[in-house]
Amino acid sequence: MSYTGWILLTASLVGLSCGLIGVLLILRRMAMMADAISHTVLLGIVCAYLVTRELTGIHMLIGAVVTGLITAIVIQWLHTRGVQQEASIGIVFTTLFAIGVILIATKVGNAHLDVKHTLMGEITFIPWEIMEIPLLGRIPEAVVLLSIVLLVVVVIIIAFYKEWKITSFDPALAASLGIPVIFMHYLFMSLVSLTTVAAFDAVGAIMVVAMLITPAAAAYLWTDRLSILFLLSSSFGIMSAFIGYYLAVWLDTSISGAMAFSTGIIFMISFLCSPKYGVLARGFIGRKKTANI
């Protein structure tokens, strides 16, 4: 596959995984949790590096996922103690991210680990970080990792589809039916953390947040059916990857930044043109009702 092809495949895998997870984030009114976890995983990555002095390996993934889960647990704990959820997210997110930044500045030294890389990622390096896979040949490490994460996300969403649907729309009903709501919550937080970490190194925190929230929010304007919502959100994620890449080439700018910007373009088109909730559709309906009166 060509250099451009690997970049587009990587970004599409991010768009697919984040698009699927983003649907549940939007339905559970937890969109800002994506922002929190995408930043606080930096602390887990730094801690894993300080323990092992290695910038690659499964320990980085484990450290980041553990930090993502700690973020969710502490936010939930503060919320149950009377702190508003938005305030809980803001407090935990900024504190843990700040600790990660301080550790980078004081402990990491000359290692290739910095805040700019954390925020923007460097997707152009993806095709050069190769691993050998039996029968498949030489494949970028990020593509392998993101493919595994996508498979995990798809399997868990399908396996617990009914549970996700009930717990997302009516947690009280789910609890009364015997569905383990707390378990589903932390399973979901694990998926968010895993997806965020897998995309983190390749595309950076900004694109991860954009892919987690904006395609799902755009899809929500087009349909009320959960299955279609999953399909549209993941499709919008892939579209954002392609549009953003060619926009970045045209403007000679950051690829990850352009892809994040493309999610906003798709959302604005949906916001204006969706047949049920779009501004133009509502305006047309309003004028029609006025004319009938």
Side-chain angles (χ1 to χ4, degrees):
M1 188 179 291
S2 67
Y3 177 83
T4 297
W6 285 125
I7 292 177
L8 289 172
L9 177 58
T10 302
S12 296
L13 289 170
V14 172
L16 268 170
S17 300
C18 291
L20 293 171
I21 292 295
V23 169
L24 296 176
L25 278 170
I26 293 294
L27 293 178
R28 290 165 174 259
R29 302 174 187 269
M30 298 175 67
M32 292 312 298
M33 185 68 79
D35 192 21
I37 291 178
S38 68
H39 284 77
T40 58
V41 293
L42 173 66
L43 176 59
I45 291 172
V46 174
C47 290
Y49 169 76
L50 292 176
V51 171
T52 64
R53 292 293 167 178
E54 295 287 340
L55 279 175
T56 58
I58 191 64
H59 58 275
M60 304 294 282
L61 182 64
I62 293 171
V65 169
V66 169
T67 308
L69 284 175
I70 290 172
T71 301
I73 291 169
V74 176
I75 288 172
Q76 186 67 23
W77 181 79
L78 288 174
H79 182 51
T80 58
R81 294 300 183 278
V83 181
Q84 290 185 352
Q85 187 167 31
E86 295 82 359
S88 301
I89 291 173
I91 292 166
V92 176
F93 147 42
T94 52
T95 301
L96 296 185
F97 183 65
I99 294 172
V101 172
I102 291 169
L103 288 176
I104 286 178
T106 58
K107 299 293 184 181
V108 171
N110 295 323
H112 180 59
L113 188 61
D114 56 73
V115 177
K116 181 181 178 181
H117 180 76
T118 297
L119 293 176
M120 297 303 299
E122 195 46 79
I123 198 170
T124 54
F125 291 163
I126 294 300
W128 307 113
E129 298 174 354
I130 301 293
M131 64 187 300
E132 191 74 29
I133 302 294
L135 303 179
L136 297 177
R138 294 164 60 83
I139 297 177
E141 293 178 4
V143 171
V144 175
L145 178 59
L146 287 166
S147 298
I148 294 171
V149 169
L150 176 61
L151 179 62
V152 170
V153 169
V154 170
V155 167
I156 293 180
I157 286 178
I158 293 174
F160 295 99
Y161 184 81
K162 182 183 70 175
E163 288 81 359
W164 294 128
K165 192 172 186 177
I166 298 174
T167 56
S168 296
F169 287 103
D170 195 338
L173 174 61
S176 69
L177 293 173
I179 296 173
V181 176
I182 300 300
F183 169 77
M184 295 301 297
H185 172 75
Y186 286 112
L187 176 61
F188 176 59
M189 287 296 99
S190 299
L191 287 180
V192 175
S193 299
L194 186 64
T195 305
T196 300
V197 173
F200 190 80
D201 184 59
V203 300
I206 292 175
M207 182 173 160
V208 171
V209 175
M211 286 290 194
L212 278 169
I213 298 173
T214 318
Y220 191 71
L221 295 171
W222 291 91
T223 182
D224 294 325
R225 292 185 60 189
L226 184 58
S227 57
I228 304 300
L229 200 55
F230 279 124
L231 180 62
L232 281 177
S233 180
S234 53
S235 298
F236 288 160
I238 296 173
M239 288 171 58
S240 299
F242 277 79
I243 294 171
Y245 177 79
Y246 290 106
L247 186 64
V249 171
W250 179 47
L251 297 176
D252 190 23
T253 188
S254 164
I255 295 175
S256 294
M259 289 178 180
F261 175 67
S262 297
T263 65
I265 294 175
I266 291 175
F267 176 80
M268 285 306 301
I269 293 173
S270 302
F271 182 70
L272 292 172
C273 301
S274 67
K276 186 173 181 180
Y277 299 109
V279 172
L280 298 180
R282 289 201 304 265
F284 175 76
I285 293 171
R287 287 195 299 271
K288 188 175 180 180
K289 287 182 178 178
T290 302
N292 290 335
I293 293 173

